[in-house]
Amino acid sequence: MAKTTKSVWAAGGVVWRPGMSGSTAAADLELAVVHRPRYDDWTLPKGKGESGETLIDTAVREIAEETGQHVVLGRYLDDVHYDLGSTRKHVRYWSARATGGTFTAGHEVDDLRWVSVDKARKLLSYPLDRAILQEFTRLPADLHTFLLVRHAKAGRRSRYKGDDRLRPLDKVGRAQAAALVPLLLAFGAARIHAADRVRCEQTLEPLRARLDTELHIEPDLSEEAYRTNPTATQRRIRELASEMPETLAVCSQGKVIPPLMDWWAEQDGISLPKASNRKGSVWVLSLDDGRLVAADHIASPLPTD
């Protein structure tokens, strides 16, 4: 057996669209499965990451290159791992709703089929792809996404002279805020809300400018408000998460998000993955009829992290 000496990361998705009737029930969905002539196999769209990309960037780009489809990412599905000679390959998958596009055959992918879940299960060449498909079908495809962001870096509180509510982002924080734009857009962010702190507002300002929309201020999401009245913060986050169908990006603070997420997960009966709660990190939350059914934590928007 060859010794594994190198790791390579890739990303992709289960690309889906409603059936002809517009239904998003599992039995009516159409999934994109691609054929690779080099291997003569049928697989889920995926590909290797490039320098300077996050895996989220990779997933969106590779899906577009292989299927011609623009997508909005949703629930994180799983990572798979396998060996190719001396290389250990890792692939991260998301649910990915197709929003339009046209397939063009090429040397890497020469055919694409839109098929039902059952037909995809039979058509896919590899057990690992079928395992990802199984995870995809565990929950409804058409979940509502809610993005909860910890503000980016703003230097040390002890070194800031003046009202801490006005403390701005530092150089690293501004880079994180810029990097959050493609990340949050990949998940369909359409509305912007932030706790009433300058560093929270500045974290989402580049996204607000890209969307050319209003930034809504949320006094109940600050650390001081949470410490004084956590119930009001919990009630407000529930209200925001229920605002359909738009995907909200909401920025709050480090002493609010971990206990708020613990409360929310306990209320709705899910387990949370480990989370570092670093500045600039993002919770990608999936809700079904207002109930939290899945949560994924992205530790940083920067590819170097």
Side-chain angles (χ1 to χ4, degrees), residues 228-248:
T228 301
N229 189 355
T231 301
T233 304
Q234 294 163 357
R235 180 173 58 250
R236 184 56 182 152
I237 207 73
R238 284 280 202 186
E239 290 172 350
L240 290 171
S242 68
E243 294 192 11
M244 302 279 280
E246 293 179 308
T247 296
L248 272 62

Side-chain angles (χ1 to χ4, degrees), residues 181 192 201 204-215:
V181 175
I192 314 298
E201 296 172 30
L204 295 184
E205 172 55 26
L207 177 62
R208 186 212 64 76
R210 172 72 73 84
L211 293 172
D212 190 21
T213 191
E214 180 182 358
L215 188 151

Side-chain angles (χ1 to χ4, degrees), residues 7-293:
S7 287
V8 173
W9 274 92
V14 176
V15 179
W16 66 275
R17 66 187 186 188
M20 295 296 291
S21 66
S23 170
T24 58
D28 297 325
L29 296 180
E30 295 181 338
L31 309 185
V33 180
V34 297
H35 182 260
R36 302 184 300 177
R38 179 182 177 185
Y39 304 103
D40 190 22
D41 61 6
W42 289 93
T43 186
L44 300 173
K46 63 181 182 298
K48 292 187 294 186
E50 296 182 352
S51 177
E53 283 188 331
T54 66
L55 288 177
I56 292 162
D57 296 329
T58 301
V60 172
R61 176 183 56 77
E62 284 288 341
I63 288 170
E65 289 179 1
E66 294 199 350
T67 69
Q69 291 292 311
H70 305 292
V71 297
V72 174
L73 300 184
R75 182 169 66 97
Y76 161 71
L77 299 175
D78 206 351
D79 294 350
V80 301
H81 317 275
Y82 54 93
D83 294 328
L84 287 175
S86 62
T87 299
R88 182 70 166 170
K89 192 164 185 179
H90 314 268
V91 189
R92 181 160 296 171
Y93 289 96
W94 283 269
S95 171
R97 180 169 184 158
T99 60
T102 303
F103 172 71
T104 301
H107 69 279
E108 291 189 3
V109 172
D110 64 351
D111 196 6
L112 177 148
R113 294 183 188 175
W114 288 100
V115 297
S116 68
V117 171
D118 285 343
K119 288 184 178 178
R121 190 177 291 114
K122 296 173 183 176
L123 184 60
L124 288 168
S125 300
Y126 303 111
L128 288 177
D129 280 1
R130 291 192 289 274
I132 292 295
L133 181 58
Q134 182 67 25
E135 173 57 25
F136 171 78
T137 59
R138 184 177 63 85
L139 292 171
D142 195 19
L143 298 172
H144 177 58
T145 300
F146 182 79
L147 303 163
L148 183 58
V149 184
R150 185 182 178 189
H151 71 74
K153 290 186 177 181
R156 293 185 180 179
R157 181 177 303 190
S158 60
R159 294 182 179 178
Y160 182 70
K161 307 297 183 182
D163 188 341
D164 188 64
R165 292 174 297 180
L166 305 179
R167 178 158 48 100
L169 300 184
D170 60 18
K171 182 178 179 180
V172 174
R174 292 192 295 273
Q176 290 174 320
L180 280 167
V181 175
L183 187 158
L184 299 174
L185 288 177
F187 291 96
R191 283 180 51 191
I192 314 298
H193 294 249
D196 57 348
R197 298 295 181 267
V198 165
R199 53 195 179 274
C200 292
E201 296 172 30
Q202 289 183 339
T203 296
L204 295 184
E205 172 55 26
L207 177 62
R208 186 212 64 76
R210 172 72 73 84
L211 293 172
D212 190 21
T213 191
E214 180 182 358
L215 188 151
H216 304 269
I217 301 301
E218 297 291 342
D220 286 337
L221 299 187
S222 72
E223 289 181 353
E224 290 80 1
Y226 181 76
R227 184 167 59 247
T228 301
N229 189 355
T231 301
T233 304
Q234 294 163 357
R235 180 173 58 250
R236 184 56 182 152
I237 207 73
R238 284 280 202 186
E239 290 172 350
L240 290 171
S242 68
E243 294 192 11
M244 302 279 280
E246 293 179 308
T247 296
L248 272 62
V250 179
C251 187
S252 185
Q253 297 181 264
K255 293 182 180 179
V256 177
I257 293 174
L260 184 63
M261 285 302 306
D262 288 342
W263 166 82
W264 202 349
E266 182 178 3
Q267 288 285 307
D268 288 352
I270 71 164
S271 297
L272 297 177
K274 292 182 179 180
S276 59
N277 194 39
R278 296 164 63 183
K279 292 182 175 69
S281 60
V282 180
W283 279 103
V284 180
L285 308 177
S286 299
L287 297 105
D288 183 23
D289 195 25
R291 177 174 171 266
L292 185 64
V293 294

